[in-house]
Amino acid sequence: MAGGAHFDGGTTKDYPGKLTGFVLLTCIVAATGGLIFGYDLGISGGVTSMNPFLKKFFPSVYRKETADTSTNQYCKFDSQLLTAFTSSLYLAALVASFFASYLTRKMGRKFSMLAGGIIFFAGAALNGGAKDVGMLIAGRILLGIGVGFANQSVPVYLSEMAPARYRGMLNMSFQLMITIGILIANLVNFGTNKIAGGWGWRVSLALAAIPAAIVTVGSLFLPDTPNSLIDRGHDDAALNMLRRIRGTNDVEEEYKDLVVASNESKKIKHPWANILKRKYRAQLTVAIMIPFFQQLTGMNVIMFYAPVLFKTVGFGANASLYSAVIIGVVNVIATFVSIATVDRFGRRTLFLEGGTQMFICQLIVGTMIAIKFGTTGEADIPKWYAILLVLIICVYVAGFAWSWGPLGWLVPSEIFPLEIRSAGQAITVSVNMFFTFGIAQAFLAMLCHLKFGLFYFFAVWVFIMNGFIYYLLPETKNVPIEEMAIVWKKHSFWGRFIDDDQDNNGKPPHTPEV
Ligand code: BGC
């Protein structure tokens, strides 16, 4: 059997050292990089539904929305122009992550984080003071560049700093910050929406400067990772740092392995050409498929459009916003479940459990909407029905929050060897951003055409991704990051892409054992 091939990471090295307060602190500070991404994910939907904002920047959209008297709930809120504006950030992040990958490798992880914080700050200032659409879009592009830099460097930073046994937990603090950012943004919108005078949107956009300042100041104080220090020729500093973050002087073995990894890395002048080599096919596939699948769970439909969805099922404007906040809270709390369990149960267990949970919820939501709205999109649904729907959506969000959410950032950041890690992470960020953009752009049209079938559409994707995880993703828990090659080599499918001498580029593949 090719698939179902598992590898128990427990059989690789276990370096001495413990979880020090120092490493915990540095990881928490670095993870705040997730705040800027989260704040943005959470703020845009609310701002673009504020009438004063629409009137000022998108008068045609505003006119169309107020004139719309159609009763077909599936096709009510379609405004491509507005979604194009929202999505411009993701395209900017996509492009920026490639530049970030170069800087992260050459200048260190910390440098990219700092750059991300500063650029995001500039974007927040421009947006908060926006006088016309031009300023608004320029600001958004800067925000996107900031997000691209942060998302490219922070997960790698966390995975390198963490002792292998706690890598899942520490890396997931990034996702925790994303969810906190989303929740804060939801609450901010809730408050600023009430500001009389119609400038609430300005406050929402300008407050992005706070998470940006936290990231910027935080990263000034962060040390760089030993892996990156060695790679950039600072061997002594790396050794000292390793001792400090592991809380022991007994770091010889780990240090030696980092040096070996770095020597390999130094041979590589062109990470982008290297990543295409046959021996990295497994990692490349995973780096592309994980973020792709993460977006195809449909989670961002809930994140971006929860208030619209809830309005669609008959909630009033306020109740819809409340429900969005409840979902935000569930998202944060459920992330702790994965933080607490990922290094014990492993990545695969969480992926498969979360996937199954999301699949079931999507089928139920699709069916509930089908029963009431049918294909005409017209209905008057009882309150209990709408509440039940929100509850099931909460169970779905919890499933995402302890599986594809955090694992979507953890797994790609821990599977690559040092020489192509930075490039690999850039690929993950850009695929993620591309499909975030795609879903944001296509959702309203899809809802209009697929109707309740939209939920079945995502359910089918979740089913497929569970198969991918089951057959093609080996377990990586507790495996030291620079030892990860072993995991791929032992996998019954991916192993056939790797020759014993580890350099089979261009040569015929191994014949797999059957
Ligand atoms: C995803 C985002 C999503 C968020 C929700 C992140 O991991 O990349 O697209 O909005 O989780 O919490």
Side-chain angles (χ1 to χ4, degrees):
M1 183 181 83
H6 308 187
F7 169 72
D8 181 4
T11 51
T12 56
K13 294 182 183 174
D14 192 8
Y15 304 120
K18 53 182 194 276
L19 181 65
T20 57
F22 180 67
V23 91
L24 199 61
L25 187 69
T26 51
C27 285
I28 291 173
V29 172
T32 58
L35 280 179
I36 59 176
F37 182 38
Y39 189 83
D40 202 87
L41 284 165
I43 210 78
S44 332
V47 167
T48 51
S49 66
M50 293 179 189
N51 284 341
F53 175 83
L54 288 180
K55 265 195 227 163
K56 184 166 173 65
F57 297 108
F58 300 94
S60 63
V61 174
Y62 177 71
R63 275 196 301 276
K64 195 172 151 232
E65 257 186 35
T66 39
D68 185 8
T69 52
S70 106
T71 47
N72 180 344
Q73 300 290 350
Y74 291 130
C75 301
K76 244 181 139 44
F77 311 86
D78 195 355
S79 47
Q80 291 298 324
L81 184 63
L82 206 56
T83 42
F85 157 74
T86 309
S87 311
S88 60
L89 180 145
Y90 304 105
L91 291 185
L94 187 164
V95 177
S97 68
F98 289 101
F99 291 98
S101 97
Y102 178 79
L103 287 177
T104 306
R105 186 167 186 228
K106 290 282 172 223
M107 314 279 290
R109 283 70 175 124
K110 168 190 161 113
F111 183 86
S112 290
M113 280 184 242
L114 181 64
I118 294 173
I119 300 170
F120 195 90
F121 191 91
L126 216 55
N127 265 351
K131 292 205 166 24
D132 50 37
V133 176
M135 272 178 90
L136 208 58
I137 292 185
R140 240 182 127 64
I141 290 175
L142 289 179
L143 295 180
I145 298 177
V147 167
F149 272 70
N151 287 20
Q152 195 279 334
S153 50
V154 174
V156 167
Y157 181 94
L158 295 170
S159 284
E160 289 183 344
M161 281 307 242
R165 260 169 298 138
Y166 301 100
R167 189 175 57 241
M169 176 184 109
L170 291 175
N171 182 291
M172 283 181 170
S173 50
F174 176 64
Q175 173 73 11
L176 182 66
M177 293 294 175
I178 295 179
T179 60
I180 291 175
I182 296 176
L183 178 61
I184 292 175
N186 285 342
L187 292 169
V188 166
N189 275 342
F190 198 61
T192 59
N193 196 22
K194 296 201 167 78
I195 294 179
W199 43 269
W201 60 268
R202 237 182 235 294
V203 180
S204 290
L205 295 182
L207 283 180
I210 296 181
I214 296 176
V215 178
T216 308
V217 175
S219 54
L220 279 175
F221 291 99
L222 286 178
D224 224 324
T225 68
N227 317 48
S228 171
L229 286 169
I230 296 180
D231 211 27
R232 289 179 294 123
H234 308 296
D235 292 16
D236 290 343
L239 183 59
N240 288 336
M241 186 50 59
L242 198 58
R243 288 187 175 137
R244 187 144 181 229
I245 59 179
R246 299 289 177 256
T248 167
N249 281 339
D250 185 11
V251 293
E252 274 319 278
E253 199 187 350
E254 185 171 5
Y255 181 73
K256 261 196 246 148
D257 287 340
L258 293 188
V259 171
V260 170
S262 164
N263 288 341
E264 282 303 306
S265 165
K266 282 180 186 140
K267 288 186 205 153
I268 307 294
K269 289 281 165 290
H270 304 290
W272 291 104
N274 251 273
I275 212 166
L276 297 175
K277 283 188 175 175
R278 187 181 162 79
K279 64 177 172 177
Y280 298 132
R281 203 54 48 84
Q283 291 95 322
L284 183 61
T285 307
V286 171
I288 293 172
M289 295 313 285
I290 295 274
F292 166 72
F293 282 144
Q294 190 205 50
Q295 291 307 311
L296 265 291
T297 57
M299 173 64 167
N300 275 333
V301 161
I302 306 295
M303 288 292 107
F304 297 154
Y305 299 108
V308 174
L309 265 181
F310 294 143
K311 258 191 215 161
T312 306
V313 300
F315 281 15
N318 238 348
S320 298
L321 279 177
Y322 270 131
S323 312
V325 171
I326 291 173
I327 284 182
V329 173
V330 170
N331 195 17
V332 175
I333 294 176
T335 306
F336 282 102
V337 174
S338 53
I339 291 181
T341 57
V342 63
D343 293 310
R344 237 177 321 142
F345 298 163
R347 286 63 167 149
R348 286 171 53 85
T349 310
L350 288 180
F351 263 131
L352 294 172
E353 193 288 326
T356 309
Q357 186 170 326
M358 286 191 284
F359 177 73
I360 295 170
C361 291
Q362 276 156 333
L363 290 186
I364 299 177
V365 171
T367 307
M368 281 181 74
I369 295 187
I371 290 172
K372 286 291 174 190
F373 288 89
T375 48
T376 61
E378 290 174 22
D380 209 2
I381 67 170
K383 202 166 175 198
W384 68 266
Y385 204 85
I387 292 175
L388 186 63
L389 211 56
V390 174
L391 276 179
I392 295 167
I393 291 180
C394 284
V395 178
Y396 162 85
V397 168
F400 176 91
W402 61 57
S403 63
W404 282 89
L407 294 167
W409 294 105
L410 165 65
V411 170
S413 77
E414 67 181 8
I415 55 172
F416 280 103
L418 184 61
E419 61 267 27
I420 49 171
R421 189 169 300 143
S422 210
Q425 184 67 15
I427 293 178
T428 293
V429 175
S430 56
V431 173
N432 194 306
M433 295 302 151
F434 182 77
F435 286 98
T436 307
F437 162 80
I439 298 274
Q441 204 64 32
F443 165 72
L444 292 168
M446 282 168 82
L447 181 65
C448 187
H449 292 112
L450 293 178
K451 306 178 166 62
F452 59 84
L454 181 63
F455 295 93
Y456 296 150
F457 169 83
F458 287 120
V460 170
W461 278 107
V462 173
F463 186 80
I464 295 172
M465 57 191 90
N466 256 16
F468 178 87
I469 297 296
Y470 185 78
Y471 289 111
L472 293 175
L473 189 79
E475 182 54 63
T476 48
K477 80 167 178 196
N478 300 345
V479 181
I481 192 162
E482 306 303 354
E483 297 288 297
M484 206 54 83
I486 301 168
V487 171
W488 301 106
K489 214 174 158 83
K490 288 202 172 170
H491 190 273
S492 58
F493 177 75
W494 295 119
R496 69 184 74 178
F497 289 84
I498 305 162
D499 271 357
D500 284 336
D501 62 2
Q502 288 281 304
D503 187 19
N504 62 339
N505 188 34
K507 293 180 202 156
H510 250 348
T511 319
E513 286 166 26
V514 187

